[in-house]
C-alpha cells in the first residue's frame, strides 16, 4: 500500500463524515443542497482501476443513502458518476495529457481545470439525483432550480475544500 492510497482513503472518510454530519443540514434557501461526498469519487488518482472507482462510488453512495434514508438513490447516482468519470477526464484532457500517478486536485492541476471538472461532474450527478427524485415534468421548474443552485453550491464547497488538502 502506498501513501496515495492512505491519503485517498482518509479524504473519502473526511468527505463522508462532512456530508453526513454537517452538510446534510446545510440547505440554502430550501433549494441548494451540498453533496460534498461525490468529491471522494472525483478526487481519486487518474490511474485508479475503473472497477475500484465504481465499487468505492457504490460504497460511498450506499453510506449516504443509509443516513439520508433514500434507498439507493445516492448510490445509483454516484455509480453513474464514477462510470462517466473517464469521459469527463477525456473531455478536459490538457494538451500535454495526464501523468499516470496524478490526482485531479489543486495540488496537481490548476484552479480553472478543477472548477470545470467539479462543475461538470456535479451537474451530471445532481441532474440525475434530482431528476430521479422528482420523476415528474410537473415539477420541472423547481427541479431545474434545485439542480442549478445545488451544482453551484456543491462546486464552490468542493473546490474550497481542495485548498485544505495541501498535498
Amino acid at each position: 500500500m502506498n501513501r496515495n492510497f492512505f491519503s485517498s482513503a482518509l479524504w473519502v472518510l473526511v468527505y463522508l463524515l462532512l456530508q453526513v454530519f454537517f452538510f446534510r443540514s446545510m440547505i440554502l434557501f430550501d433549494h441548494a443542497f451540498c453533496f460534498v461526498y461525490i468529491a471522494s469519487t472525483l478526487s481519486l488518482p487518474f490511474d485508479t482501476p475503473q472497477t475500484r472507482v465504481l465499487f468505492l462510488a457504490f460504497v460511498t453512495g450506499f453510506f449516504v443513502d443509509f443516513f439520508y434514508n433514500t434507498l439507493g438513490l445516492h448510490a445509483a447516482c454516484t455509480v453513474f458518476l464514477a462510470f462517466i468519470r473517464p469521459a469527463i477526464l477525456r473531455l478536459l484532457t490538457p494538451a500535454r495529457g495526464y501523468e499516470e500517478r496524478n490526482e485531479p486536485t489543486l495540488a496537481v492541476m490548476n484552479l480553472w481545470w478543477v472548477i470545470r471538472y467539479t462543475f461538470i461532474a456535479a451537474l451530471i450527478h445532481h441532474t440525475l439525483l434530482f431528476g430521479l427524485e422528482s420523476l415528474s415534468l410537473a415539477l420541472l421548474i423547481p427541479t431545474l432550480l434545485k439542480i442549478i443552485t445545488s451544482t453551484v453550491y456543491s462546486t464552490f464547497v468542493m473546490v474550497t475544500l481542495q485548498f485544505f488538502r495541501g498535498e
Side-chain angles (χ1 to χ4, degrees), residues 130-131 134-148:
F130 292 123
S134 69
L135 281 180
S136 171
L137 288 178
L139 299 172
L140 182 64
I141 300 301
T143 301
L144 288 174
L145 183 62
K146 275 185 182 178
I147 291 168
I148 293 166

Side-chain angles (χ1 to χ4, degrees), residues 36-55:
V36 72
Y37 75 95
I38 64 172
S40 61
T41 301
L42 298 178
S43 62
L44 292 172
F46 296 127
D47 62 345
T48 306
Q50 182 68 2
T51 53
R52 189 175 298 162
V53 175
L54 290 167
F55 179 73

Side-chain angles (χ1 to χ4, degrees), residues 33-162:
F33 298 83
C34 184
F35 295 114
V36 72
Y37 75 95
I38 64 172
S40 61
T41 301
L42 298 178
S43 62
L44 292 172
F46 296 127
D47 62 345
T48 306
Q50 182 68 2
T51 53
R52 189 175 298 162
V53 175
L54 290 167
F55 179 73
L56 179 67
F58 174 75
V59 170
T60 57
F62 186 77
F63 184 82
V64 171
D65 280 327
F66 180 78
F67 284 95
Y68 276 66
N69 198 22
T70 50
L71 299 172
L73 183 63
H74 290 274
C77 296
T78 310
V79 167
F80 181 76
L81 178 62
F83 177 75
I84 203 159
R85 179 180 178 251
I88 298 169
L89 290 171
R90 276 193 304 275
L91 177 71
L92 299 174
T93 302
R96 67 184 188 286
Y98 298 116
E99 291 184 31
E100 198 171 293
R101 297 232 180 246
N102 279 348
E103 297 177 348
T105 61
L106 276 176
V108 177
M109 308 304 284
N110 65 29
L111 178 63
W112 177 239
W113 187 94
V114 171
I115 290 171
R116 287 185 304 159
Y117 173 61
T118 306
F119 182 82
I120 292 168
L123 181 64
I124 291 167
H125 176 269
H126 294 8
T127 301
L128 186 60
L129 181 77
F130 292 123
L132 289 174
E133 182 184 64
S134 69
L135 281 180
S136 171
L137 288 178
L139 299 172
L140 182 64
I141 300 301
T143 301
L144 288 174
L145 183 62
K146 275 185 182 178
I147 291 168
I148 293 166
T149 57
S150 297
T151 299
V152 171
Y153 183 28
S154 296
T155 300
F156 176 76
V157 170
M158 286 187 284
V159 171
T160 302
L161 286 173
Q162 285 284 319

